Each structure stands twice: as structure tokens, then as C-alpha cells.
């Protein structure tokens, strides 16, 4: 399972970087590799901070016109769920 922040969801990176009651869960998901990264195009479009992504050690995906490659994920056996 991988979680890739996309669209307006990229704004959650800033919230997850703050200390709050969900910090242990978000840190656990990140350290286990479940949080895989962030859509580069969407992060830029929604005003994300590249320095914050570097600090949080979250990679940017830009394989297809600045977005993660859904085709690659399907080829790797993943299914998509969008929220």
C-alpha cells in the first residue's frame, strides 16, 4: 500500500508536519513507507513548500506531466482509491 498526496490533499503535508495528536500515526505511516510522496504538479499548484517536503523527507512524483504515473502504479500491481 502506498499513499501519494495529490490535488488539494497536498495541503495536508503542512498539517502533518505540525505537532498534534495524530503525529504518532503520521510518523508511523511515513517511516513504514506507506506515505510514498507527493504529486509535484499539485504541490506547486496548491502553494506547497518544497523546503517542507525536503524537511519531511517526502519525494515528489513527476513522472507524467508533473504527476505520478498511474500507469506505473497499475503495472506494479497497485489499485487506486481516491478520496
Amino acid at each position: 500500500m502506498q499513499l501519494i498526496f495529490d490535488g488539494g490533499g497536498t495541503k495536508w503535508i503542512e498539517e502533518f508536519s505540525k505537532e498534534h495528536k495524530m503525529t504518532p500515526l503520521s510518523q508511523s505511516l511515513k517511516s513504514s513507507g506507506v506515505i510514498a510522496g507527493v504529486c509535484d504538479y499539485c504541490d506547486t499548484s496548491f502553494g506547497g513548500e518544497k523546503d517542507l517536503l525536503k524537511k519531511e523527507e517526502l519525494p515528489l512524483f513527476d513522472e507524467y506531466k508533473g504527476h505520478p504515473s498511474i500507469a506505473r502504479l497499475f503495472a506494479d500491481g497497485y489499485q487506486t482509491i481516491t478520496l
Side-chain angles (χ1 to χ4, degrees), residues 13-76:
I13 301 301
E14 183 177 350
E15 292 304 312
F16 285 146
S17 70
K18 298 174 184 175
E19 190 67 33
H20 51 76
K21 66 181 180 180
M22 296 300 289
T23 297
L25 175 60
S26 64
Q27 290 299 322
S28 173
L29 292 173
K30 190 170 84 172
S31 66
S32 68
V34 171
I35 298 178
V38 180
C39 173
D40 189 14
Y41 183 89
C42 294
D43 183 62
T44 300
S45 295
F46 285 90
E49 298 178 29
K50 302 294 187 220
D51 290 339
L52 177 60
L53 297 178
K54 287 179 185 174
K55 178 184 164 216
E56 294 294 317
E57 300 176 348
L58 291 171
L60 289 166
F61 291 104
D62 63 354
E63 302 149 311
Y64 181 75
K65 297 183 180 183
H67 299 278
S69 171
I70 301 300
R72 177 191 54 81
L73 293 169
F74 285 148
D76 290 347

